[in-house]
């Protein structure tokens, strides 16, 4: 399954969140938005980053309602069928 998280992990390696302790790291993962993708993946189209960010939203109601709607958004952002 091609989920927003799986796509995010396929980008160039880098630390999304950092913390001095495990508790601090987990707090950041749960509470903070992921850092922008374009500094590490400069060729990434802004439309694709928007799709990924929506899929990674901390608020369930802001995410795609289904994997099918996520796939359609990816297709639109990429300009081709997935």
């Amino acid at each position: 399954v091609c989920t927003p998280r799986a796509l995010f992990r396929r980008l160039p390696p880098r630390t999304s969140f950092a913390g001095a302790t495990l508790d601090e790291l987990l707090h950041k993962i749960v509470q903070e938005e992921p850092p922008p993708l374009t500094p590490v993946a400069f060729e990434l189209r802004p439309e694709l980053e928007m799709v990924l960010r929506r899929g990674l939203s901390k608020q369930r109601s802001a995410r795609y309602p289904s994997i099918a709607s996520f796939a359609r958004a990816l297709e639109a952002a990429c300009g081709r069928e997935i």
Side-chain angles (χ1 to χ4, degrees):
V1 174
C2 191
T3 64
R5 182 174 179 217
L7 288 172
F8 192 84
R9 294 176 143 228
R10 289 184 185 191
L11 293 170
R14 61 161 179 36
T15 304
S16 298
F17 297 99
T21 65
L22 180 59
D23 287 340
E24 184 180 336
L25 176 63
L26 292 174
H27 175 74
K28 287 183 177 186
I29 291 170
V30 171
Q31 298 296 324
E32 296 179 11
E33 293 299 323
L37 301 172
T38 48
V40 294
F42 58 89
E43 73 284 353
L44 188 68
R45 295 173 60 179
E47 299 88 354
L48 183 54
E49 181 165 7
M50 288 173 44
V51 169
L52 291 173
R53 287 200 162 282
R54 180 175 172 192
L56 290 167
S57 177
K58 302 294 181 190
Q59 296 178 344
R60 174 176 250 163
S61 61
R63 287 183 236 143
Y64 295 95
S66 68
I67 195 68
S69 62
F70 173 63
R72 285 190 298 273
L74 278 176
E75 288 172 350
C78 294
R80 61 185 168 96
E81 193 171 320
I82 295 175

